[in-house]
Amino acid sequence: MPILSKEAAQALLKKVLAYSKADECEVRLFGGESGNVRYARNAVSTSGANSKSTLVVSSAFGKKLGTATINEFDDASLEKVVRRAEELARLAPENPEYMSVLGPQQYAAASATFHKDTAAVDPAYRAEAVAQSLSITKQNHLVAAGYLENNVGYSAIMNSKGLFAYYDSTDINFSITVRTEDGTGSGYAAKAYNDVTKLDIKKESSAAAMKAAGSKGAKALEPGKYTVILEPAASIVLLENLIFGMDARSAEEGRSFLSKAGGKTKLGDKLMDDSVTIYSDPWHPDMPTSYYNGDGRPQEKITWIEKGVVKNMYYSRYWAQKDNVRAVPSPDAFIMEGGTASLEDLIKSTEKGILVTRFWYIRPVDPQTLLFTGLTRDGTFYIENGVIKHPVKNFRFNESPVIMLNNVEALGKPERAVSGESGASAILPPMKLREFTFTSLSDAI
């Protein structure tokens, strides 16, 4: 099925709802088209395209809920999926936490998630982009593996109480890992944008190539506590666990870094350095996201951490009703404020320290202190007297982003970054931090 306009999606969802005999019915529609190129060992290995549409019907009788999905859109199939959702609802036990669907909502203007240039990306664009990337690695006698994917899609929601919302979006994602020919040096880069004109394939490929060549011949350094400079591609994999872990229910039930004894939370407490302010904004020009969340609640600009103080947590509608507070949706992405210094400025200001370009294989150790373990990877460097002296072997670390953000020495100019763990995007500054804990050496490259 092609990409549906707002009017076409609305007409389809009205047709589906007309089949409903349930007390309440909510229908969500997703669709998209994508194309990709994957390469390895300096040669293209696969090229693909995908088109898909999915209809999700949720029917409720009282507090008994059933959900069914389908990807066929003729009238018989639309009625069939509604009947299936109703059948499942009748069989289901009552859900004591079921919340009635929302009525019509007041939404702000749609954010700029759709760009026509990105929607127009075709196989010829992808082939030329990868050729540019490979020309850099081949000229420098390096070996590249990478992935380029572009997407155009839409999402719509409608329910039996009259709520309707629709948005369309585009994005393009690029990642590359470059190795030296002997496999002893490695560099990585990744970027994702809604607007393809912001993606610079040559710049990202050159950055990964430079890290790979520079990380060859790494020396071992004793584990311990070091001043570190984290590039945004490294810090995002820790900070996303902090922001996406700010759920009020988890905090009140004692399962979170925001928990206090007796069901109390750390809302309003100062947990981090004064320089730390983190917010979400669906209308941010460099990282627009949907103006409504999955259940139809309007999104808004929310400050989560302000000058180190926890200002907000997010609530499901059920938990917000229990607490008699506003049901704040979770963010789709986040932005951390920074300064004006470049990464090079942060390095120049460092007497002794370690530059970390990427963290990898992040795993939780203690959810109540938000302690994580993981590895450095793809280029780790020792800094002395303001210059990079030599590459160092990779480390395993044990660190909490809460402690990390208490040890801020300086923040640089924020830029858009992609998590190598979840694929989520954020805008983050490079960070200079005190006493980051490396626990052991790793033989990984």
Side-chain angles (χ1 to χ4, degrees), residues 247-254 256 258-260 264-265 313:
D247 171 54
R249 181 173 189 169
S250 297
E252 292 178 21
E253 291 182 340
S256 157
L258 294 174
S259 301
K260 283 183 178 177
K264 296 181 179 179
T265 74
M313 298 186 293

Side-chain angles (χ1 to χ4, degrees), residues 57-69:
V57 178
S58 297
S59 298
F61 294 97
K63 292 192 172 187
K64 301 172 70 171
L65 179 68
T67 297
T69 65

Side-chain angles (χ1 to χ4, degrees), residues 335-350:
I335 300 109
M336 180 173 173
E337 294 182 351
T340 58
S342 66
L343 178 67
E344 291 72 25
D345 293 334
L346 297 184
I347 293 171
K348 287 178 183 175
S349 69
T350 302

Side-chain angles (χ1 to χ4, degrees), residues 76-331:
S77 296
L78 296 178
E79 182 172 9
K80 180 176 69 176
V81 71
V82 173
R83 295 285 89 82
R84 179 63 174 159
E86 291 173 351
E87 180 185 359
L88 292 170
R90 290 188 179 94
L91 292 171
E94 284 198 350
N95 178 1
E97 298 185 6
Y98 177 76
M99 297 293 293
S100 179
V101 297
L102 293 167
Q105 302 292 298
Q106 293 294 318
Y107 298 112
S111 41
T113 49
F114 182 91
H115 288 264
K116 60 181 177 56
D117 290 335
T118 314
V121 168
D122 58 12
Y125 171 92
R126 294 192 292 272
E128 174 58 27
V130 171
Q132 290 179 6
S133 177
L134 290 179
S135 70
I136 292 168
T137 55
K138 289 179 178 177
Q139 287 170 10
N140 290 282
H141 305 289
L142 300 167
V143 182
Y147 186 67
L148 175 66
E149 181 181 73
N150 59 283
N151 298 279
V152 55
Y154 68 98
S155 176
I157 181 173
M158 181 181 285
N159 68 35
S160 52
K161 283 190 176 177
L163 180 146
F164 174 72
Y166 169 98
Y167 88 102
D168 52 8
S169 63
T170 56
D171 64 74
I172 186 160
N173 301 273
F174 173 68
S175 63
I176 181 171
T177 302
V178 178
R179 291 284 177 97
T180 54
E181 289 181 332
D182 63 1
T184 62
S186 182
Y188 170 80
K191 288 291 181 183
Y193 297 98
N194 301 86
D195 181 357
V196 66
T197 63
K198 294 182 178 179
L199 177 61
D200 189 335
I201 296 281
K202 287 184 177 178
K203 178 182 175 183
E204 302 307 325
S205 298
S206 296
M210 185 175 67
K211 290 172 183 173
S215 63
K216 186 175 178 179
K219 300 177 182 178
L221 206 62
E222 283 296 314
K225 288 185 180 293
Y226 286 90
T227 292
V228 295
I229 295 175
L230 304 185
E231 293 192 6
S235 56
I236 186 173
V237 296
L238 290 173
L239 294 193
E240 67 180 354
N241 285 290
L242 184 149
I243 294 301
F244 298 133
M246 298 187 70
D247 171 54
R249 181 173 189 169
S250 297
E252 292 178 21
E253 291 182 340
R255 299 182 282 117
S256 157
F257 72 101
L258 294 174
S259 301
K260 283 183 178 177
K264 296 181 179 179
T265 74
K266 296 178 181 175
L267 182 66
D269 288 6
K270 188 172 188 305
L271 301 185
M272 301 156 200
D273 187 83
D274 287 343
S275 62
V276 177
T277 293
I278 303 176
Y279 64 99
S280 57
D281 181 2
W283 297 273
H284 193 288
D286 292 327
M287 199 172 59
T289 55
S290 173
Y291 62 95
Y292 65 92
N293 83 328
D295 60 15
R297 281 179 283 172
Q299 290 283 17
E300 59 185 291
K301 183 177 179 179
I302 294 278
T303 299
W304 303 97
I305 308 288
E306 184 176 38
K307 296 181 179 178
V309 177
V310 180
K311 301 298 288 187
N312 280 291
M313 298 186 293
Y314 57 84
Y315 286 80
S316 68
R317 292 177 56 220
Y318 169 77
W319 205 254
Q321 177 180 266
K322 187 189 80 66
D323 282 1
N324 194 27
V325 299
R326 191 165 64 95
V328 177
S330 60

Side-chain angles (χ1 to χ4, degrees), residues 360 374-376 393-396 440-445:
W360 179 72
L375 300 163
T376 64
K393 288 192 172 184
N394 286 304
F395 293 102
R396 173 168 291 283
S440 60
L441 290 175
S442 164
D443 290 330
I445 301 302

